[in-house]
Amino acid sequence: ETGVTQTPRHLVMGMTNKKSLKCEQHLGHNAMYWYKQSAKKPLELMFVYNFKEQTENNSVPSRFSPECPNSSHLFLHLHTLQPEDSALYLCASSETGANTEAFFGQGTRLTVV
Amino acid sequence: GDSVTQMEGPVTLSEEAFLTINCTYTATGYPSLFWYVQYPGEGLQLLLKATKADDKGSNKGFEATYRKETTSFHLEKGSVQVSDSAVYFCALSSPWDTGRRALTFGSGTRLQVQP
C-alpha cells in the first residue's frame, strides 16, 4: 500500500475513444504529478499541480487534459490518442516543502490501438 | 537546468556479487538526492535518500553517499539477490528557492541478478 492509488491498472482504447485515468492519494500531500514512462525512454514529467493549481505543463499535447478538483484527486482525460501514446502513466504526490520525496502509484498501462 | 546522469544498463550480476550503479548530477545550489526502485509491473518506490553533503542513505542493504565534491550519489550493495532485479532511478529535488517542485530523474539502470 503506497498511499497513492491509480485506476484502472490497465486500459486499452481506440484512437477515437475518450477515457480518463484517476489518481487518489491518502497522504495529505498538496502536490501531485503525472509522469509518462515509455519503453526505452526516460521518465517524462507531464504536469505538476500545487494546491490544486497547475504549475507545470511540459509541452504536453492537448489530447491529454489534466484535472485536479482537490488536493487528493488527480485525473488525466484522454481523447484522440495516437499509438505512440501507449505507455505507463504514473501519478505521484509529495509535500510542498523542500527536500521532499515523491510517492508513486502503481501506474496505468495504456495501450492505444 | 538540473540533470541526473546514470550508467547505462543492463547490469548483469551473479547472486552475492557487489553492486555499484553510478549517478552524477548537475544542479543549482544544494539539492536532495534519492534512489528509487521499480519492480516489474509496478510504480517507483523510494529506496533511500540524502539531504545534505556527506549524508549516507541506506535501506535493505543498499547505500549511497552524497558527495558534493564529485557531484555523485552512487548506489552500492555488498551482496545482491535475485529479488533485487529491478530498474533503479537516481533523482534529485531542487532547492526550494529555484521554484522547481518536481523531481528530476535519471534514465534508469536495469539490474539483472542471476542465480
Side-chain angles (χ1 to χ4, degrees), chain A residues 2 9 33 35 37 41-43 45 48 50 55-56 58 88 90 94 96-107, chain B residues 30-32 34 36 38 41-46 49 51 87 89 93-96 99-107:
Chain A
T2 64
R9 291 292 308 275
Y33 314 83
Y35 286 86
Q37 187 176 34
K41 293 178 70 174
L43 206 60
L45 177 66
V48 180
N50 281 277
T55 53
E56 282 192 51
N58 285 309
L88 182 67
L90 293 165
S94 73
T96 51
N99 302 325
T100 58
E101 63 267 33
F103 293 78
F104 283 80
Q106 293 182 301
Chain B
Y30 301 94
S32 292
F34 308 88
Y36 280 81
Q38 185 178 32
E42 302 292 325
L44 278 67
Q45 302 174 27
L46 179 67
K49 71 175 185 179
T51 58
V87 181
F89 293 89
S93 173
S94 301
W96 189 247
R100 180 163 174 79
R101 299 292 179 255
L103 296 178
T104 299
F105 283 91
S107 56

Side-chain angles (χ1 to χ4, degrees), chain B residues 33 46 52 76 94 108:
Chain B
L33 301 173
L46 179 67
K52 61 182 186 297
E76 296 182 336
S94 301

Side-chain angles (χ1 to χ4, degrees), chain B residues 7-8 13-14 16 21 32 35 41 54 65 70 81 111 115:
Chain B
M7 60 189 293
E8 290 199 20
L13 296 173
S14 298
E16 299 184 2
I21 300 178
S32 292
W35 277 100
D54 300 325
T65 302
T70 55
Q81 305 300 312
L111 170 65

Side-chain angles (χ1 to χ4, degrees), chain B residues 36-92:
Chain B
Y36 280 81
V37 59
Q38 185 178 32
Y39 299 103
E42 302 292 325
L44 278 67
Q45 302 174 27
L46 179 67
L47 181 60
L48 53 84
K49 71 175 185 179
T51 58
K52 61 182 186 297
D54 300 325
D55 266 3
K56 177 185 284 188
S58 61
N59 186 27
K60 300 181 180 179
F62 291 89
E63 293 183 338
T65 302
Y66 189 161
R67 301 288 189 199
K68 181 173 178 295
E69 64 277 13
T70 55
T71 62
S72 65
F73 193 54
H74 304 322
L75 182 68
E76 296 182 336
K77 186 175 185 183
S79 176
V80 294
Q81 305 300 312
V82 172
S83 56
D84 294 326
S85 298
V87 181
Y88 293 81
F89 293 89
C90 186
L92 68 83

